[in-house]
Amino acid sequence: MLSGLMMEYPLTLNAIIEHASRMTPRKTIKTKLPDGRWHEYSYAEFHLRVRRLGNALAQLGVEPGDRVATFAWNNYQHLELYFGIPCAGAVIHTLNIRLSPDQLKYIIDHAEDKIIFVDGTLLPLIEPIADQLSTVRHFVLFNATAEQAGNLPNALRYEELMAAASDDYNWRCADENMALGLCYTSGTTGLPKGVLYSHRSMMLHTLGVLQAAALGPTEADVVLPVVPQFHAMAWGLPYAAAWVGASIVMPGPHLQPPPLADMIESERVTIAAGVPTIWNGLYHELRKNPRDISSITQLVVGGSAMPRGLIEAYERDFGVNVVQAWGMTEMSPIGSVAKLQSRHQSLDAAGRWDIKAKQGYFVPGVDARIVDDEGVELPWDGETMGELQVRGYWVARQYFKRAADVEHFTSDGWFRTGDVVTIDRDGYMTITDRTKDLVKSGGEWISSVDLENALISHPDVLEAAVIAVADERWGERPLAIVVPLAGEPDPEALNGYLLERFPKFWLPDRYVIVDEIPKTGVGKMDKKVLRQWRADGKLDPPSPGPFPQNEGRVGN
Ligand code: ADP
């Protein structure tokens, strides 16, 4: 073999911050503080503070490879930690603030976190377990008063540490294969599993996000990550935005629709990213109290399927371009993006919305295949459903402190996503369901996701979830759980509406009306809880649907 003669320049995170502080030192990072005021500083100041943080971590005894956790909203301190911890050779473990105390304790113990950086506004959530965490040596608080710090064992204050530290610092992350971050899957399917990113995988992911074929932020953008920094590294946006010197706006704890709408308007945000629940809430807010959100060029949505009706409504009512992306914690997380390609320009609006409602094409850097139950590869014809498997530069090969398992990783080097999908001839993927959420009725699959999307497009429905319930005759049947927009939707009318789109045997036998659908820590409908409610009898007695049980299967 004749080797190439190019440098082996390491893919390490310090490159981003050094580049940004030289190329765009005067660009700004703004944070909406808990009290509603704005904090603002330049990339040059940010750079110096990250160096200070490196020294502060060294003083606390942090060694390369140590896990250092964060428990915080999206803000400038959290962004400093995003860089400072990995550039000190340690591993940033972003804790999901919406987990229960038991779940938090489980993952902190599992990760063996040495220090936890805590946002003062979130203290009540961590205090109950603070003295049970045997690996944690210090809590470091920001946005907190001295009295609040007194309530935690071994508490230190972030600004005091920073003030005492010099900004003359040498990065400690010379090797690109060092671990950079640790993120636990939100556990909609089983116990949380830790995904351990490396500098190399995260730098390649950042380049991946920067592609125009992916999200492609540039210096001219104003980026608002609404997606929490503890949700799959905020989808890589903070690193990507920083590398090109985009303006960054951090929402802090202000995630309700009215302040988000105000923020987008006042800061002229161009790229905002969040889960469908957030954009659903914002849409209804804007209908009630209009704001000018015309600055937005990409309203990025992922984490769960974005209903087609909402994509359409944003474009029709506000002229806003919705960009759906699909990803997973195990994929750093970007996998696919549903942007239009040149051949779609001639489509009418409805045709374009059809494309944008798919999960999209795989971004360069991600390789995909679909397989059947026996692992046999299936065709990309837009109809054949199979399990999606992926591999690529930023895909996990194993979970943290778990042997490589065949349940999640194939022997020939692919990651099993657990998503059931179709892929069309042009490489656009559509998620039909998660393997664990499909409803199998009389031997035929029913997609809970398709039913939910259709229900949510009904004018009387705000939210909808469909789960499988055991049925003696058909194996399983779909049960729909609906949050009404107003009044009480009529099951018969809803099924009539569904019948325009789906075969009869797909229609839910029963509907239950609830005030709210339980959500996971990252805002997804929590079907584990719904199944538990059902087991506990909380969803009884469901109103009977209009269709008899013998509609449960087709053909055979
Ligand atoms: P968890 O597996 O705990 O839910 P993740 O946040 O990693 O945690 O979730 C990844 C899953 O979220 C994907 O496997 C997929 O099922 C779902 N998902 C992500 N983005 C989308 C999307 N745009 N449309 C539909 N489902 C999505």
Side-chain angles (χ1 to χ4, degrees):
M1 180 186 83
L2 178 62
S3 296
L5 293 175
M6 308 308 283
M7 291 182 185
E8 291 201 4
Y9 191 65
L11 287 155
T12 49
L13 196 66
N14 55 300
I16 294 184
I17 190 161
E18 281 169 13
H19 186 86
S21 66
R22 283 171 181 254
M23 302 299 145
T24 51
R26 289 176 290 168
K27 293 299 295 289
T28 59
I29 296 163
K30 281 182 91 167
T31 298
K32 189 118 177 134
L33 297 170
D35 65 7
R37 286 177 306 129
W38 284 104
H39 171 277
E40 180 173 359
Y41 63 11
S42 67
Y43 270 89
E45 291 166 80
F46 171 67
H47 179 210
L48 289 182
R49 281 184 51 98
V50 171
R51 287 185 177 269
R52 261 179 214 283
L53 179 56
N55 280 321
L57 289 168
Q59 271 154 29
L60 293 175
V62 171
E63 294 293 331
D66 283 348
R67 270 78 67 200
V68 175
T70 59
F71 193 71
W73 300 107
N74 291 9
N75 51 33
Y76 70 97
Q77 297 100 329
H78 208 171
L79 197 64
E80 290 166 3
L81 295 161
Y82 250 47
F83 284 90
I85 296 171
C87 288
V91 180
I92 177 168
H93 173 202
T94 50
L95 292 166
N96 184 336
I97 62 170
R98 306 210 175 89
L99 295 182
S100 69
D102 283 352
Q103 289 169 316
L104 272 177
K105 183 174 164 9
Y106 171 84
I107 64 172
I108 293 167
D109 285 348
H110 190 268
E112 299 172 74
D113 294 326
K114 204 165 177 180
I115 295 179
I116 306 184
F117 285 83
V118 182
D119 199 320
T121 53
L122 298 168
L123 265 176
L125 300 178
I126 199 113
E127 267 167 357
I129 53 165
D131 55 7
Q132 301 165 30
L133 305 171
S134 56
T135 63
V136 177
R137 294 201 203 149
H138 294 289
F139 294 89
V140 182
L141 271 77
F142 44 86
N143 297 335
T145 60
E147 298 79 65
Q148 283 177 308
N151 296 337
L152 278 181
N154 299 324
L156 302 167
R157 296 185 68 200
Y158 188 68
E159 287 309 326
E160 284 171 10
L161 286 175
M162 292 290 260
S166 147
D167 56 28
D168 183 11
Y169 179 75
N170 292 323
W171 311 120
R172 297 177 79 186
C173 56
D175 186 334
E176 65 178 25
N177 288 310
M178 285 176 96
L180 162 146
L182 178 61
C183 197
Y184 283 74
T185 59
S186 56
T188 45
T189 53
L191 268 184
K193 299 178 283 291
V195 180
L196 190 64
Y197 309 113
S198 64
H199 280 258
R200 177 188 156 81
S201 71
M202 195 50 73
M203 291 297 277
L204 290 169
H205 180 261
T206 308
L207 290 170
V209 172
L210 285 172
Q211 300 174 89
L215 302 180
T218 69
E219 179 275 330
D221 278 303
V222 180
V223 176
L224 172 72
V226 181
V227 49
Q229 286 182 258
F230 56 75
H231 185 188
M233 303 307 284
W235 304 346
L237 270 176
Y239 291 144
W243 209 342
V244 292
S247 303
I248 298 179
V249 178
M250 288 299 201
H254 307 281
L255 301 181
Q256 309 72 19
L260 283 180
D262 292 343
M263 225 177 282
I264 293 171
E265 181 176 64
S266 70
E267 303 311 308
R268 306 297 297 153
V269 169
T270 60
I271 299 179
V275 293
T277 326
I278 293 276
W279 300 143
N280 194 20
L282 182 74
Y283 175 79
H284 290 288
E285 165 67 20
L286 292 169
R287 288 299 300 262
K288 270 191 281 164
N289 303 305
R291 318 288 206 292
D292 177 10
I293 63 158
S294 61
S295 54
I296 290 195
T297 57
Q298 301 185 63
L299 191 74
V300 180
V301 60
S304 327
M306 178 74 161
R308 183 186 180 283
L310 202 51
I311 298 174
E312 176 182 338
Y314 262 105
E315 190 171 314
R316 204 189 43 223
D317 297 344
F318 311 127
V320 162
N321 172 35
V322 173
V323 175
Q324 171 151 219
W326 164 87
M328 300 185 73
T329 304
E330 290 87 340
M331 302 181 69
S332 308
I334 300 286
S336 69
V337 174
K339 287 191 172 175
L340 300 180
Q341 294 184 336
S342 51
R343 69 179 168 284
H344 299 128
Q345 299 311 330
S346 56
L347 292 175
D348 61 7
R352 289 200 308 271
W353 295 327
D354 285 343
I355 304 289
K356 290 169 128 190
K358 294 173 186 258
Q359 276 66 34
Y361 54 77
F362 299 96
V363 301
V366 173
D367 192 12
R369 69 180 184 189
I370 38 178
V371 300
D372 67 11
D373 290 347
E374 269 81 52
V376 177
E377 217 176 318
L378 297 169
W380 291 19
D381 57 11
E383 284 173 12
T384 311
M385 284 193 327
E387 189 195 3
L388 176 66
Q389 301 187 344
V390 292
R391 61 183 180 186
Y393 306 118
W394 49 81
V395 182
R397 65 163 192 267
Q398 193 178 327
Y399 290 110
F400 186 48
K401 297 210 277 186
R402 274 167 72 130
D405 47 294
V406 287
E407 193 195 337
H408 298 102
F409 302 92
T410 69
S411 55
D412 61 343
W414 295 74
F415 167 64
R416 305 176 52 157
T417 65
D419 284 329
V420 180
V421 310
T422 62
I423 305 180
D424 69 18
R425 282 180 190 81
D426 300 316
Y428 279 74
M429 182 258 290
T430 304
I431 295 198
T432 325
D433 224 323
R434 291 192 111 171
T435 36
K436 296 189 168 75
D437 291 341
L438 278 169
V439 184
K440 199 163 196 183
S441 171
E444 299 275 342
W445 292 116
I446 297 173
S447 161
S448 64
V449 171
D450 287 356
L451 287 174
E452 287 156 4
N453 283 341
L455 283 170
I456 213 172
S457 70
H458 188 279
D460 295 341
V461 175
L462 181 64
E463 287 183 310
V466 172
I467 57 169
V469 295
D471 184 274
E472 260 180 38
R473 187 149 177 214
W474 308 116
E476 288 176 350
R477 291 293 300 147
L479 164 71
I481 299 131
V482 169
V483 181
L485 199 53
E488 182 128 333
D490 169 24
E492 198 150 347
L494 292 179
N495 266 0
Y497 185 73
L498 293 179
L499 196 54
E500 292 167 20
R501 297 167 172 75
F502 304 113
K504 227 173 177 181
F505 83 100
W506 274 46
L507 308 184
D509 296 325
R510 299 166 185 180
Y511 282 84
V512 187
I513 308 293
V514 296
D515 292 338
E516 201 182 343
I517 289 178
K519 305 273 171 18
T520 67
V522 294
K524 299 184 194 199
M525 296 194 290
D526 197 337
K527 294 197 180 177
K528 253 194 338 202
V529 172
L530 286 174
R531 289 189 195 104
Q532 192 56 48
W533 281 8
R534 159 89 191 158
D536 297 345
K538 279 199 199 157
L539 297 178
D540 295 335
S543 55
F547 293 95
Q549 289 279 307
N550 63 7
E551 297 292 343
R553 96 165 121 188
V554 282
N556 57 351

